[in-house]
Amino acid sequence: IQKAGSDNGVNTGADHGGEVKWLIDPEPKHNFAYIDNKEGDVFLVTNYEAPNWRIVAADFDNPGIENLREVVPESDEPISMYGGGNLDKIVLHSDRLYVTYIQHNANVIRIFDLEGKPQGEIELPFLGSVSSIATRKDDPVLYIGLQSFLVPHCVYTYGTDTGTLAPLKTVDVPAEFSEFEVTRVFYNSKDGTRVPMSIMKRKDTPIDGTAKVLLYGSGGWGIPLMPGFRNWHHAWLHRGGIYAIANLRGGGEYGEAWHEAGMFFNKQDVFDDFMAAAEYLVSEGYTTASRLTIRGGSNGGLLTAACYNQRPELFGAVISQVAAVDMLRLPDTPIGATQTMELGAPKQSKEMFDYIQSYSPLHNVRHEGPYPPILHMV
């Protein structure tokens, strides 16, 4: 962090004669990201000693990681640090911090003073995602980007002095959108873990097993599947289809612990979560196995391929996009080195080799019994 000197705001240090001071020595195992500064304090969001992230303050005159002051402690619900610009979701305005969290599979915005005391929440107009929070120093207004499964990206204003939230820029949507609904449910996976899932349908689509359901999942890399508007969702719903998104372990919906619960030797739990989602949709009368299609891409492609091997009778069709199917040779491919950070490497140990081979789609093809129709896309 450059304390003084640069005339253009660029951290060029000696080029402009300014003093360059490390507030925190480089620490490769942890992340620190700048939020804002106020009266000698530099506010940072970090996963140092906080897998779900917390907010700390560093003092220009008393640098060092050991001198950090905790402002907003880590919570069971993670600060939203993925997607939408990351730090566009945390704002220091006047004497308040506005912080976006993930609550199950949607965002909430909580307010804190600069000592970390809770000051309430911004009551959002619908269950959805916060894409950004923007403001100017002398403007008593926050500009909040929002969207949901049924609401296209829009901008609301929040008066920091009045506590009033009002639409600023919205998108006209067809009247038929009022015919759609989204339900958030929770189901139990094979080991009893409670998993959230969003189910979208037309209000008059019957729950009697006759509807066709498209089930999507991923479960990897700490990436949460948040509410987002897609035109094709509504084309599917309009025709009487049901669309479901399962928030599997391996994602970031519940922070780093949820992510790690789907990594390495826990990968089978991700597959179990997805198959349990399919079972829930059938048992609750949304569809039947013959009318249920599963879809996933990249990490989700592996997910769908592993699941159709393990439970081919559970699905009516499969769409597997850019899937890695030979998991034993994956580390030798151009993207293989990055994949081992999430999945492990077969050469790491015999135990890891055996575990990866146990779910590798190519090595577990069944030679007896029918498979559902499968579309592999590359």
Side-chain angles (χ1 to χ4, degrees):
I1 300 294
Q2 184 173 329
K3 185 174 181 180
S6 175
D7 58 8
N8 61 3
V10 179
N11 187 2
T12 52
D15 293 343
H16 290 268
E19 175 190 357
V20 177
K21 176 186 291 188
W22 284 104
L23 286 179
I24 301 164
D25 289 333
E27 172 52 72
K29 294 181 181 179
H30 303 100
N31 295 312
F32 290 86
Y34 174 76
I35 299 172
D36 211 332
N37 59 280
K38 186 177 179 67
E39 298 175 354
D41 282 335
V42 179
F43 290 85
L44 308 165
V45 61
T46 180
N47 62 355
Y48 172 63
E49 296 184 343
N52 282 356
W53 300 83
R54 60 180 175 141
I55 295 175
V56 298
D59 188 339
F60 268 127
D61 297 320
N62 193 24
I65 197 169
E66 68 280 2
N67 296 319
L68 292 173
R69 173 173 65 87
E70 182 171 83
V71 180
V72 179
E74 181 185 23
S75 166
D76 289 340
E77 294 172 335
I79 292 176
S80 185
M81 290 297 297
Y82 187 88
N86 296 341
L87 297 184
D88 292 342
K89 299 183 181 183
I90 306 172
V91 165
L92 192 162
H93 185 275
S94 186
D95 293 323
R96 294 289 185 268
L97 283 160
Y98 298 85
V99 187
T100 305
Y101 286 82
I102 300 174
Q103 188 175 71
H104 300 306
N105 57 337
N107 284 145
V108 295
I109 302 174
R110 298 188 177 133
I111 309 170
F112 302 88
D113 66 19
L114 299 190
E115 297 302 317
K117 296 178 182 178
Q119 303 296 311
E121 293 186 3
I122 297 178
E123 188 173 342
L124 300 179
F126 48 78
L127 200 67
S129 300
V130 174
S131 59
S132 63
I133 308 174
T135 188
R136 292 187 291 267
K137 292 292 185 184
D138 300 324
D139 188 352
V141 174
L142 303 182
Y143 300 88
I144 303 173
L146 298 171
Q147 65 174 313
S148 77
F149 292 120
L150 301 181
V151 180
H153 187 268
C154 54
V155 178
Y156 277 68
T157 60
Y158 177 79
T160 58
D161 51 355
T162 65
T164 301
L165 187 72
L168 174 67
K169 184 177 181 181
T170 59
V171 177
D172 291 333
V173 297
E176 69 182 46
F177 274 46
S178 63
E179 302 172 1
F180 304 143
E181 63 182 4
V182 180
T183 305
R184 181 165 62 185
V185 302
F186 296 86
Y187 65 90
N188 290 328
S189 189
K190 182 178 180 179
D191 63 359
T193 298
R194 190 167 179 254
V195 182
M197 177 165 58
S198 296
I199 302 175
M200 288 166 268
K201 61 184 282 292
R202 207 170 62 193
K203 292 177 182 177
D204 63 355
T205 297
I207 302 178
D208 61 0
T210 61
K212 294 182 179 179
V213 171
L214 182 58
L215 171 63
Y216 180 82
S218 180
W221 299 93
I223 301 173
L225 296 183
M226 304 296 288
F229 185 87
R230 301 289 185 274
N231 285 328
W232 72 264
H233 288 174
H234 311 101
W236 175 252
L237 304 185
H238 181 71
R239 289 163 174 78
I242 295 174
Y243 187 59
I245 298 178
N247 297 98
L248 317 173
R249 278 175 283 186
E253 288 82 358
Y254 294 104
E256 185 57 25
W258 192 251
H259 173 211
E260 292 177 358
M263 296 174 64
F264 302 130
F265 288 105
N266 298 321
K267 196 64 183 175
Q268 181 60 45
D269 290 333
V270 183
F271 309 146
D272 289 340
D273 288 356
F274 199 51
M275 291 183 285
E279 290 173 335
Y280 176 91
L281 292 166
V282 172
S283 67
E284 293 299 311
Y286 287 96
T287 192
T288 60
S290 63
R291 293 180 174 92
L292 175 63
T293 297
I294 56 172
R295 184 179 75 90
S298 189
N299 182 73
L302 165 62
L303 169 73
T304 52
C307 288
Y308 72 57
N309 267 333
Q310 295 182 19
R311 294 287 304 279
E313 78 287 351
L314 188 55
F315 316 113
V318 178
I319 303 171
S320 184
Q321 298 168 276
V322 290
V325 294
D326 185 348
M327 302 307 296
L328 297 181
R329 291 183 174 83
L330 180 62
D332 299 324
T333 66
I335 64 168
T338 59
Q339 299 299 306
T340 59
M341 296 187 296
E342 181 80 7
L343 303 171
K347 296 178 182 178
Q348 182 176 327
S349 66
K350 184 180 186 302
E351 184 182 17
M352 182 63 81
F353 180 97
D354 291 342
Y355 186 80
I356 292 175
Q357 187 180 45
S358 73
Y359 68 77
S360 175
L362 181 66
H363 300 88
N364 289 277
V365 173
R366 297 188 178 198
H367 297 287
E368 74 288 343
Y371 271 91
I374 299 168
L375 174 62
H376 270 286
M377 302 174 66
V378 296

